């Protein structure tokens, strides 16, 4: 199949934050050691928390099922290492809340071998079987959203999918996780695509890659076998190109309706690392025990891409890579949408695509003074879904949340942060919107 | 792990910013205005220098005092008031008595900005509010023009400049006529060369089209000014005056004259583009620009006054909220949903 | 006690009915009524006084008539009757002014006729005169009318001094005073009224603060 | 007198001598209902409508009064006839167009005693306009009133979200805005000549 | 009190009662209005007449008495007494000897803000406008309203040439020129800064004289005493 490598296509608006990927994009993925204690939250995904199937004190093998999905919108959890379940209790999580988690103490010198489960053959399995297998493998969107992948793939009655989009854009600055995956796990990706094509019934797949990763695009398009209806297409470097809606618009010119899902325009969009995971795990019937994470930022000594066991405490991970300078801010994910953590005791979860560490030098660059909105309209020109953040920000300040939702489509905002990024008055727009949405949801519910 | 601060900052995303702050924008606008002010001093001499300084100072001081009286932190540090002061000065006739300049400066800040809540809330361009007030209060002084390029202008002040406060100015020097007034009342056109290079009489800052365009281009390139506003104004004015001039050249001055005379350049580039008082969307600002242009042409051709840019901009300021309402950007995914629903 | 207080205005003549209109319930500054003449004819002190007195005359006369007829007028037609009465007195006042001075009549123009639709007058007829004794209604009308005149004068004086440099036509300043033309233009009317309201807001705020301070310090004494 | 062109009459009433901003007529509704754009437009529509009706009535009454030579009845008959006509129209609309009534209905009784309506009738009589001129004058006045109201509503909605100093909030702010608008409208002087 | 209120509210409207009240008030009001009108009418009429006469004498220097004339539909003039009802009137002014000094005419036209209403005097002997007075204007105070009192401007109208040419039309149309540039007797020097209002006066005069002077000259004999 031919690759379309002329990256002219994109969505309208958006911003151009400095990419900052040079530090890690040439670093091969390295295996991370086990932490002395791992914390596996039962709710690392959107939806119902998983139900634990192990007891405190029970010994488990690497890859063994720790918790099973509780309902359809829920996924399984597997042991990241062979060890002992110390206890099942509340533990801090990245969002600042306490969630039910399994404390696992790996055996000293535990190996990397993983137990095998019931393999699912891409040729013979039915779509429903594959969906079940994906759920059992505990796969969620590894791009950051952590939405259970199998739910996305369940095509509702009366709808169909014609295109499968594999999202290899990775538009967040600093992060190079997907970039490395696309270079190093090509076979897994292609295998994953086979599963996904089968499940979705799509006639073709498009791998969308941002133009700053030409090596990945070239490697992938060279590897696509003739029997697979897959094209590799490049899109412009622009944030938030990696958002599902933006990528669909860039590649297909289709607009996902407000309040709708990609499936409403016959598309399903799966992150490239998620795809690789499907292709790697399903043939062996295994579950997720580790994932690739970029640990980077000016505060990190050994920046790089690491294959890191799920549940590794952040503190352990940072100690391993070494810190430099006066660290003031650590966040999980990229700098645009990532979650700043208040404590280093939180574990790395399935949805953690990167860890970025800032020192006081970076934080000092962010002006502290908040000016009133001067209606410069930078935010209006940045918003990828054409909202009016300026107006909404002013309304939010006066507490007029209903008006924001009714007249200005607040609920369509996916908090990409472009508006706050460009705001010269330093108004925390995204924070306002998040707050407003929360209050509105509370009022409704 | 000693290097990690005891308290990590938890600010919500995004964690990086572009690093262009409001005061940066304001400061750049001041830079862009300085050459215009410089040319005004070159053209009108000491008179313009003193007048511009008093205009700027009166605005800055008023802002400072009003902020303090209201128990707020003084906001003169954000440079926005310096822009207002400088712009306000540039719209005044150079020989205007200084006490009037100071009164107008206070009005510009008090009425045009402070009453509405300060920076970001001034629904009208404050400089123009000050000028409109002066125009209504002291119509004679506001239409008496100091001649350009007078001999010895760098060493002498216009006699009216130092008028005792609250007294009527007495004009001794020969006064100039603006190209627009000459055209309207005496049907005397001015050479295009003089207009472009600013060898004419008029408000301090409106004479040199070149310096204004250069300043505007600098800001537009740095994305600190929405180029669509002046572009829409120029295009519409040129189009309308072109058509009317073609129909009746005797009555209607041509596009060149319309573009380069009076306050159109200064207004379109620096006044109409006051971010706070303009619509937000790009479609909105084009409508806004067209509205300004149409009103300006209307007032200049058919109105009683020779110049109408100021009124046109103030009117469009008042209308900009409605323009915004009319042309809200179509939110992603809403059109198709409507189609789907029907 | 409460009952007695309630009955008071029915029977006794109360000077409070006169004083309240002047200040506490000033129709212009406190109730913001009848703004149209307040802004339109106050470009000189003379005009303001003339307009104020004309309005007072109509106000007092209509209050008297409405009050004395209050038991006869059926509820259903009361508004129509009031308007009829007011229009009559306005017509009367219009001819009187014309007879006194044509120039004044010209200066006030249609605004004399427009006293008819001044909400202060209909408001007092409906809210006060239709429920109170003749004497009290008279006092109420007089108080409100003079309060209205006072407000007009407040504006008229400021606008005339700044706008023409004179007060009641008498020059205040030496020759060569620069008049602020805007003050006698419509815009000046809006600004002056706005400024007066600002001033009264400020007075109110200050009084409130003082009272608060007084009551704080006064608690110990009590 | 009375020979002005229709275009001049229209522009004069709508812009140059705007009823609200130059004559201060209809200030009460201007201050009262200019807070929200929607009510402002409806009020404007209702006022324009009533102005057209009352202008017609006033023209008829004036002709009648001239014929019977009773100028002293002018004011009293204007106010009575206009008030009752508006009442009739209100009842008529209520009966035949409930939707229009919902849009304009609640404003109609308020407008009856609006000085802009009576002012319009008096001015057109003073200026000696003929029937067509009166109608155009009424239309211009109504549109000018609506324009002022709508502009003010936009500004006030905007400033509702602003950090207006407490002292200024309310009528004082509206008056200052009206003053600036009035200065702005001065730019239209001499149009249509 | 409450009981009465309730009764009033619940009782059906008594039409006779309502009618009686309205009629009574109406009669009282009509009486009051008519009485005032009758009482003030003579005063007002006299004042108006005086005012008009004053204006006529002002624009016709030397006049001591005046007579009203009405323009007839066929373009002639006839003496007129009483109150005008839409007719076009001109006022002839006579000196103490009863000799015709000139004729005063009213004219209207658009000014800067609103309609301007002026009266001007024409002297058939000098074939010139000899005086002008602004009766009604809304020109900008301090600027446009200088047309009412600026002595230099009013000097324009002491002898403004409107002589007729052979064909009975105005020879030279009145025109406005800048201050200090007046050369011809038919030119009007504008006021600096109030060009618009000055030009408005010029336009009004130009139109009115062009229309009326030829007519007046044709019927000059009518006005002689």
């Amino acid at each position: 199949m031919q690759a379309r490598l002329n990256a002219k296509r994109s969505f309208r608006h958006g911003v151009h934050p400095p990419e900052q990927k040079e530090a890690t994009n040439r670093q091969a993925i390295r295996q991370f050691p086990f932490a002395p204690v791992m914390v596996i939250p039962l709710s690392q995904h959107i939806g119902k928390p998983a139900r634990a199937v192990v007891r405190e004190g029970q010994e488990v093998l690497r890859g063994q099922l720790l918790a099973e999905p509780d309902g359809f919108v829920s996924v399984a959890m597997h042991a990241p290492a062979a060890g002992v379940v110390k206890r099942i209790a509340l533990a801090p999580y990245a969002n600042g809340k306490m969630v039910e988690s399994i404390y696992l103490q790996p055996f000293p010198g535990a190996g990397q071998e993983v137990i095998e489960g019931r393999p699912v053959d891409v040729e013979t399995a039915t779509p429903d079987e594959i969906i079940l297998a994906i759920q059992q493998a505990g796969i969620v969107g590894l791009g950051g959203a952590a939405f259970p992948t199998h739910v996305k793939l369940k095509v509702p009655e009366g709808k169909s999918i014609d295109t499968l989009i594999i999202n290899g854009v990775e538009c967040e600055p600093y992060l190079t996780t997907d970039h490395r995956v696309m270079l190093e796990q090509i076979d897994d990706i292609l295998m994953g695509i086979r599963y996904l094509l089968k499940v979705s019934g799509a006639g073709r797949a498009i791998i969308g890659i941002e133009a700053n990763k030409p090596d990945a695009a070239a490697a992938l398009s060279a590897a696509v076998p003739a029997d697979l209806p897959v094209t590799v297409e490049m899109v412009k470097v622009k944030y938030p190109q990696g958002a599902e809606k933006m990528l669909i618009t860039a590649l297909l010119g289709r607009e996902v309706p407000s309040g709708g899902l990609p499936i409403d325009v016959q598309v399903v969009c799966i992150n490239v690392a998620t795809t690789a995971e499907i292709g790697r795990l399903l043939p062996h019937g295994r579950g997720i025990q580790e994932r690739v994470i970029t640990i980077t930022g000016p505060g990190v000594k050994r920046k790089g891409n690491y294959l890191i066991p799920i549940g590794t405490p952040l503190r352990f991970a940072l100690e391993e890579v070494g810190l430099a300078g006066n660290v003031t801010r650590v966040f999980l994910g990229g700098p645009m949408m990532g979650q700043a953590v208040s404590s280093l005791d939180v574990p790395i979860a399935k949805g953690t695509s990167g860890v970025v560490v800032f020192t006081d030098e970076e934080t000092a660059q962010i002006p502290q003074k908040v000016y009133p909105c001067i209606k410069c309209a930078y935010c209006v020109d940045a918003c990828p879904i054409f909202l009016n953040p300026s107006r909404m920000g002013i309304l939010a300040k006066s507490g007029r949340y209903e008006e924001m939702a009714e007249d200005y489509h607040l609920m369509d905002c996916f908090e990409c942060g472009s508006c706050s990024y460009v705001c010269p008055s330093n108004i925390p727009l995204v924070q306002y919107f998040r707050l407003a949405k929360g209050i509105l949801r509370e009022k409704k519910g | 792990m000693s290097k990690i601060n005891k308290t990590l900052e938890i600010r919500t995303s995004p964690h990086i910013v572009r690093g262009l702050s409001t005061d940066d924008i304001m400061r750049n606008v001041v830079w862009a205005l300085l050459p215009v002010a410089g040319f005004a001093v070159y053209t009108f001499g000491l008179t313009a220098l003193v007048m511009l300084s008093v205009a700027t100072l009166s605005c800055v001081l008023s802002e400072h005092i009003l902020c303090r009286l209201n128990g707020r932190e003084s906001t003169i540090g954000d440079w926005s008031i310096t822009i207002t002061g400088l712009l306000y000065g540039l719209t005044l006739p150079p020989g205007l008595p200084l006490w009037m300049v100071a009164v107008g400066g206070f009005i510009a800040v008090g009425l045009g900005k402070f009453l509405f809540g300060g920076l970001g809330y001034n629904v009208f361009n404050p400089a123009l509010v000050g000028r409109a007030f002066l125009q209504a209060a002291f119509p004679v002084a506001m239409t008496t023009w100091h001649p350009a390029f007078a001999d010895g202008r760098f060493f002498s002040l216009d006699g009216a400049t130092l008028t005792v406060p609250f007294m009527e100015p007495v004009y001794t020097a020969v006064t100039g006529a603006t190209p627009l007034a000459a055209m309207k009342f005496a049907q005397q056109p001015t050479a295009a060369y003089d207009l472009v290079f600013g060898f004419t009489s008029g408000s301090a800052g409106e004479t040199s089209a070149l310096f204004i365009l250069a300043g505007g281009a600098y800001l537009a390139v740095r994305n600190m000014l929405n180029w669509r506003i002046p572009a829409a104004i120029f295009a519409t004015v040129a189009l309308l005056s072109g058509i009317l001039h073609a129909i009746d050249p005797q009555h209607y001055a041509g596009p060149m004259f319309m573009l380069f005379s009076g306050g159109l350049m200064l207004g379109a580039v620096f006044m109409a583009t006051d971010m706070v008082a303009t619509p937000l969307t790009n479609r909105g600002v084009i409508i806004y620009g067209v509205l300004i242009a149409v009103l300006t042409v209307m007032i200049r051709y058919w109105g009683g006054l020779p110049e109408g840019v100021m009124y046109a901009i103030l009117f469009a300021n008042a209308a900009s909220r409605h323009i915004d309402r009319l042309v809200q950007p179509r939110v992603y995914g809403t059109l198709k949903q409507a189609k789907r629903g029907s | 006690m409460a009952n007695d207080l309630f009955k008071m205005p029915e029977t006794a003549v109360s000077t409070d009915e006169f004083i309240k209109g002047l200040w506490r319930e000033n129709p212009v500054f406190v109730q913001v009524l009848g703004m149209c003449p307040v802004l339109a004819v106050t470009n000189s002190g003379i005009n303001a006084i003339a307009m104020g007195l004309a309005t007072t005359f109509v106000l007092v006369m209509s209050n008297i008539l409405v009050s004395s007829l209050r038991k006869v007028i059926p509820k259903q037609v009361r508004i129509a009757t009031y308007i009829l009465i007011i229009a009559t007195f306005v017509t009367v006042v219009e001819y009187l002014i014309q007879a006194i001075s044509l120039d004044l009549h010209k200066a006030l123009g249609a605004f004399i006729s427009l006293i008819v639709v001044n909400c202060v007058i209909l408001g007092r007829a409906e809210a006060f005169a239709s429920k109170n004794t003749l004497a009290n209604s008279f006092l109420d009308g007089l108080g409100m009318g003079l309060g209205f005149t006072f407000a007009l004068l407040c504006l008229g004086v400021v606008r005339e001094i700044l706008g023409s440099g004179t007060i009641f036509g008498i020059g205040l300043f030496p020759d060569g005073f620069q008049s602020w033309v805007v003050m006698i233009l419509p815009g000046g009317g809006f600004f002056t009224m706005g400024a007066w309201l600002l001033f009264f807001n400020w007075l109110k705020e200050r009084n409130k603060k003082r009272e608060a301070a007084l009551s704080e310090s006064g608690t110990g004494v009590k | 007198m009375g020979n002005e062109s229709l275009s001049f009459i229209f522009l004069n009433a709508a812009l140059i001598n705007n009823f609200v901003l130059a004559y201060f007529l209809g200030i009460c509704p201007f201050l009262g209902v200019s807070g929200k754009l929607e009510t402002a437009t409806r009020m404007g529509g209702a006022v324009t409508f009533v102005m057209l009706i009352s202008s017609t009535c006033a023209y008829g009454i004036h002709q009648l009064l001239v014929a019977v030579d009773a100028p002293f009845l002018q004011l009293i008959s204007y106010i009575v006839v206009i008030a009752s006509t508006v009442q009739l129209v209100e009842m008529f609309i209520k009966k035949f167009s409930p939707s229009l009534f919902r849009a304009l209905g609640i404003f109609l009784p308020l407008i009856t005693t609006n000085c802009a309506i009576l002012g319009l009738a008096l001015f057109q009589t003073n200026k000696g306009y003929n029937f067509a001129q009166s109608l155009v004058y009424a239309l211009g006045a109504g549109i000018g009133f609506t324009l002022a109201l709508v502009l003010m509503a936009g500004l006030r909605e905007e400033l509702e979200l602003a950090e207006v100093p407490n002292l200024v909030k309310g009528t004082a702010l509206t008056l200052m805005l009206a003053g600036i608008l009035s200065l702005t409208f001065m730019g239209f002087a001499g149009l249509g000549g | 009190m409450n009981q009465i209120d309730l009764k009033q509210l619940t009782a059906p409207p008594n039409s006779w009662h309502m009618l009686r009240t309205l009629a009574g008030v109406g009669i009282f009001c009509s009486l009051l209005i008519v009485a005032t009108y009758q009482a003030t009418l003579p005063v007002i009429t006299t004042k108006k007449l005086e005012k008009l006469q004053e204006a006529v004498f002002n624009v016709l220097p030397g006049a001591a008495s005046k007579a009203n004339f009405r323009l007839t539909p066929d373009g002639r003039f006839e003496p007129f007494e009483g109150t005008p009802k839409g007719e076009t009137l001109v006022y002839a002014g006579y000196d103490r000897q009863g000799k015709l000094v000139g004729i005063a005419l009213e004219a209207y036209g658009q000014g800067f803000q609103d309609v301007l209403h002026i009266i001007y005097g024409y002297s058939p002997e000098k074939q010139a406008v000899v005086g002008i007075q602004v009766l009604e204007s809304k020109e900008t105070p301090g600027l446009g309203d200088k047309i009412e009192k600026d002595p230099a401007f009013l000097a324009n109208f002491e002898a403004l040439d409107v002589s007729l040419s052979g064909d009975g039309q105005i020879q030279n149309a009145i025109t406005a020129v800048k201050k200090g540039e007046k050369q011809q007797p038919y030119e009007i020097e504008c006021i600096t800064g109030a060009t618009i209002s000055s030009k408005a006066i010029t336009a009004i005069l130009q139109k009115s004289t062009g229309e009326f002077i030829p007519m007046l000259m044709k019927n000059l004999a009518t006005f002689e005493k």
Side-chain angles (χ1 to χ4, degrees), chain E residues 46-143:
Chain E
T46 327
K47 282 203 169 181
K48 277 190 176 160
L49 279 176
E50 274 171 17
K51 205 161 170 94
L52 179 64
Q53 190 159 329
E54 200 185 304
V56 170
F57 291 171
N58 182 27
V59 297
L60 289 173
S65 65
K66 83 163 180 45
N68 300 357
F69 289 85
R70 182 171 78 113
L71 176 67
T72 60
D74 56 353
R76 290 177 315 130
F77 294 89
E78 59 184 30
F80 178 82
E81 297 294 327
T83 41
K85 267 189 199 144
E87 291 97 339
T88 307
L89 291 185
V90 300
Y91 316 100
Y94 306 94
D95 63 10
R96 285 183 204 289
Q97 284 74 42
K99 195 173 149 265
L100 182 70
V101 178
I103 297 145
L105 301 103
E106 285 176 85
Y108 304 87
Q110 200 216 328
F112 185 53
Q113 278 286 346
D114 209 342
V115 173
L116 276 171
H117 178 191
I118 64 167
I119 184 167
Y120 66 94
Y122 167 71
S123 159
E125 191 188 338
K126 293 181 190 157
Q127 294 236 356
V129 171
V130 290
I132 177 174
Q133 186 181 343
V134 178
L135 294 177
E136 220 177 325
S137 97
K138 273 238 213 84
E139 301 309 283
T140 322
L143 196 64

Side-chain angles (χ1 to χ4, degrees), chain B residues 180 183-184 187 189 237-258 296-303, chain D residues 192-193:
Chain B
L180 274 171
M183 185 70 198
K184 183 146 202 157
Q187 276 77 46
V237 166
L239 186 75
L240 287 179
S241 58
I243 293 171
L244 286 166
H245 184 69
I247 294 169
D248 184 357
Q250 210 59 36
H251 265 91
Y252 303 118
M256 265 305 277
F257 179 81
M258 287 292 277
T296 305
V297 170
M298 251 172 71
I299 294 174
R300 279 189 181 181
Y301 279 157
W302 299 300

Side-chain angles (χ1 to χ4, degrees), chain C residues 10 65 69-77 80-81 84-85 87-89 91-96 98-103 106 179 181 184-185, chain E residues 1 5 8-9 11-14 17-18 20-22 25-26 28-30 32-33 36-37 40 43-44 47-48 51 134-136 140-143:
Chain C
E10 268 300 302
L65 202 57
L69 294 178
R70 72 185 189 278
K71 300 217 169 93
V72 196
I73 302 172
K75 224 174 165 55
Q76 292 80 6
V77 292
T81 318
L84 209 60
I85 292 172
T88 304
F89 284 116
T91 312
V92 168
V93 107
E94 176 154 17
Y95 282 113
L96 286 179
Q98 219 169 343
I100 294 165
S101 160
L102 280 179
D103 286 331
K106 207 176 107 183
S179 52
V181 180
I184 35 184
L185 295 178
Chain E
M1 268 302 277
D5 271 343
Q8 268 188 354
L9 280 172
N14 185 334
H17 194 100
M18 272 156 52
R20 195 184 58 188
T21 319
L22 273 180
V25 173
F28 172 77
C29 291
S30 326
L32 193 61
I33 291 177
T36 321
Y37 180 66
T40 53
V43 188
I44 296 171
K47 282 203 169 181
K48 277 190 176 160
K51 205 161 170 94
V134 178
L135 294 177
E136 220 177 325
T140 322
L143 196 64

